[in-house]
């Protein structure tokens, strides 16, 4: 297939490019030229800013793709322009969304009046009615003010080109700019022998995905016509509790730290989240409809990520 990737040189994108190239697909990437990892020699790169729809349109006209994979649609404006520019230029659109579309995420952030929704959350679970979850937060993310994947999803669904929406979990792996595993390692190293959690945090669960497996799910959805117009959660089949995750990171890094629960005065500093709200995604739909399964085990994924974090 001839696929056009918007983004494609960042954390998730480069893993998608690698997988598509290995499978022999024709690939174009469209990005500003600020993130420039080595790419397979067969990839065509178009330089441009997605905030300029004319540049995007011209690149699409040059590439003539069967499908467009938008790895970085962050705002309603992005999605509206994307749907418009793809009309008549491609037959399929694959859009990366996030588990943060579920209203459970507002509960986790402590800004919801709703009781926790039952988990796992399938694709029909209630979505946030609040808007712009990162507006006003202290971040250097350029699109934080207008970021909202609920609006992105709504806009691409209104377009003429059938859109496949992929709701990603917390992604970890080499080149993760958020250093998800690195942050866990910092916490474990600071704690030294024992990392003590509140019982609520210890039992909290969050769906995660190793970047290579997440890329495989994106490629599966992009290359299977059955995925057209469908929405899928992506993530590991079993979401670990926070205590088990931290313990597995410690073991992956060869640390002797024991993770346990304890009284408030013993507990390590934790993020200010409401641990009653598990962020567990039900990933059965993509497994059943598209026969998706991970290639890389969690143990292998953690060991590769720890190695990268240690070198970073
Ligand atoms: N990471 C997670 O845990 C997670 C969780 C849920 C959902 N997601 C979703 O996964 C997607 C990929 O995230 P990521 O972490 O891989 O992103 P990333 O590492 O920040 O990659 C950004 C990519 O987009 C390009 N880019 C950025 N701004 C651009 C612009 N204005 N115009 C054109 N190209 C631009 C960058 O290249 P240049 O710098 O060269 O332009 C790079 O190729 C996002 O949609 C994110 O919301 C991620």
């Amino acid at each position: 297939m001839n696929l056009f990737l918007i983004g494609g040189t960042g954390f998730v994108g480069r893993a998608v490019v690698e997988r598509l190239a290995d499978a022999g697909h024709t690939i174009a990437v469209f990005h500003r030229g600020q993130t420039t990892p080595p790419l397979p020699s067969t990839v065509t790169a178009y330089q441009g800013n997605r905030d300029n729809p004319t540049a995007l349109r011209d690149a699409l006209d040059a590439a003539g793709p069967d499908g467009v994979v938008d790895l970085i649609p962050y705002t309603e404006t992005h999605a509206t322009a994307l749907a418009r520019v793809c009309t008549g230029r491609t037959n399929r659109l694959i859009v990366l969304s996030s588990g943060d579309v579920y209203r459970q995420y507002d509960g986790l952030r402590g800004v919801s009046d709703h009781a926790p929704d039952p988990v796992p959350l399938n694709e029909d679970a209630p979505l946030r009615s609040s808007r712009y979850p990162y507006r006003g937060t202290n971040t250097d993310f350029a699109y934080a003010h207008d970021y909202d994947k609920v609006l992105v999803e709504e806009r691409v669904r209104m377009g003429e080109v059938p859109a496949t929406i992929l709701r990603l979990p917390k992604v970890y792996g080499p080149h993760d700019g958020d250093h998800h595993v690195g942050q866990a390692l910092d916490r474990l190293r600071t704690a030294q022998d024992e990392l003590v959690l509140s019982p609520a945090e210890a039992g909290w669960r969050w769906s995660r995905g190793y970047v290579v497996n997440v890329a495989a799910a994106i490629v599966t959805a992009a290359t299977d016509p059955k995925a057209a117009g469908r929405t899928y959660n992506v993530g590991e089949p079993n979401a670990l509790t926070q205590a088990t995750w931290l313990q597995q990171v410690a073991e992956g890094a060869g640390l002797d730290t024991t993770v346990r629960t304890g009284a408030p005065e013993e507990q390590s500093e934790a993020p200010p989240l409401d641990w009653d709200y598990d962020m567990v995604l039900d990933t059965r739909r993509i497994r059943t409809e598209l026969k998706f399964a991970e290639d890389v085990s969690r143990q292998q994924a953690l060991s590769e990520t720890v190695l990268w974090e240690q070198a970073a």
Side-chain angles (χ1 to χ4, degrees):
M1 274 181 87
N2 178 353
L3 291 167
F4 183 97
L5 275 49
I6 305 177
T9 60
F11 170 42
V12 176
R14 66 166 83 180
V16 174
V17 167
E18 222 165 89
R19 188 150 194 115
L20 286 171
D22 285 350
H25 294 286
T26 303
I27 310 158
V29 296
F30 175 88
H31 68 116
R32 294 165 305 178
Q34 297 180 8
T35 316
T36 54
L39 294 177
S41 58
T42 50
V43 175
T44 306
Y46 293 94
Q47 203 163 312
N49 192 322
R50 73 161 313 144
D51 295 327
N52 172 6
T54 310
L56 188 54
R57 184 200 63 199
D58 291 348
L60 276 173
D61 281 339
D66 305 314
V68 171
V69 182
D70 192 346
L71 294 147
I72 49 159
Y74 294 123
T75 69
E76 184 175 15
T77 307
H78 286 164
T80 306
L82 176 74
R84 193 177 301 130
V85 81
C86 284
T87 303
R89 291 189 173 85
T90 193
N91 299 318
R92 288 276 315 275
L93 186 50
I94 294 87
V95 168
L96 295 202
S97 183
S98 164
D100 72 18
V101 294
Y102 294 111
R103 76 175 177 192
Q104 192 85 326
Y105 186 67
D106 273 350
L108 178 67
R109 293 192 307 129
V111 296
S112 171
D113 298 335
H114 292 278
D117 286 311
V119 291
L121 302 163
N122 69 23
E123 289 82 351
D124 300 319
L127 301 184
R128 277 188 287 108
S129 53
S130 66
R131 290 291 167 261
Y132 311 117
Y134 305 121
R135 187 170 278 186
T137 58
N138 181 18
T139 164
D140 54 7
F141 174 45
Y143 295 106
H145 191 260
D146 293 326
Y147 171 102
D148 199 319
K149 295 279 192 185
V150 174
L151 296 176
V152 167
E153 291 192 5
E154 278 177 16
R155 289 293 158 189
V156 293
R157 280 201 195 97
M158 287 163 67
E160 282 182 34
V161 180
T164 302
I165 292 169
L166 299 173
R167 294 179 178 153
L168 267 49
K170 185 65 208 163
V171 186
Y172 65 97
H175 311 292
D176 172 13
D178 288 349
H179 295 277
H180 182 58
V181 167
Q183 287 179 22
L185 284 171
D186 287 347
R187 209 171 160 194
L188 288 157
R189 288 199 185 101
T190 305
Q192 297 180 354
D193 295 343
E194 290 192 319
L195 175 62
V196 184
L197 307 180
S198 67
E201 183 185 2
W204 176 72
R205 290 189 298 149
W206 195 9
S207 288
R208 297 182 174 85
Y210 180 53
V211 67
V212 175
N213 291 330
V214 169
I218 295 168
V219 170
T220 299
T223 53
D224 189 336
K226 286 199 294 296
R230 302 289 289 152
T231 298
Y232 298 102
N233 287 335
V234 175
E236 288 166 354
N238 59 334
L240 301 179
T241 63
Q242 180 86 324
T244 305
W245 164 255
L246 288 164
Q247 192 65 68
Q248 290 195 2
V249 173
E251 283 158 17
L255 300 175
D256 290 332
T257 317
T258 300
V259 180
R260 67 169 178 86
T261 56
E265 59 278 11
E266 295 179 282
Q267 291 167 16
S268 96
E269 197 181 331
L273 298 171
D274 186 333
W275 306 114
D276 288 341
Y277 293 79
D278 288 312
M279 284 300 302
V280 181
L281 305 180
D282 182 340
T283 63
R284 283 175 294 181
R285 182 184 284 177
I286 193 168
R287 296 172 194 285
T288 310
E289 289 187 9
L290 307 184
K291 309 285 174 245
F292 170 72
E294 286 81 0
D295 315 314
V296 185
S297 69
R298 188 184 284 117
Q299 193 185 11
Q300 177 73 17
L302 265 176
S303 117
E304 308 245 336
T305 310
V306 164
L307 279 178
W308 179 80
E309 289 287 357
Q310 285 167 340

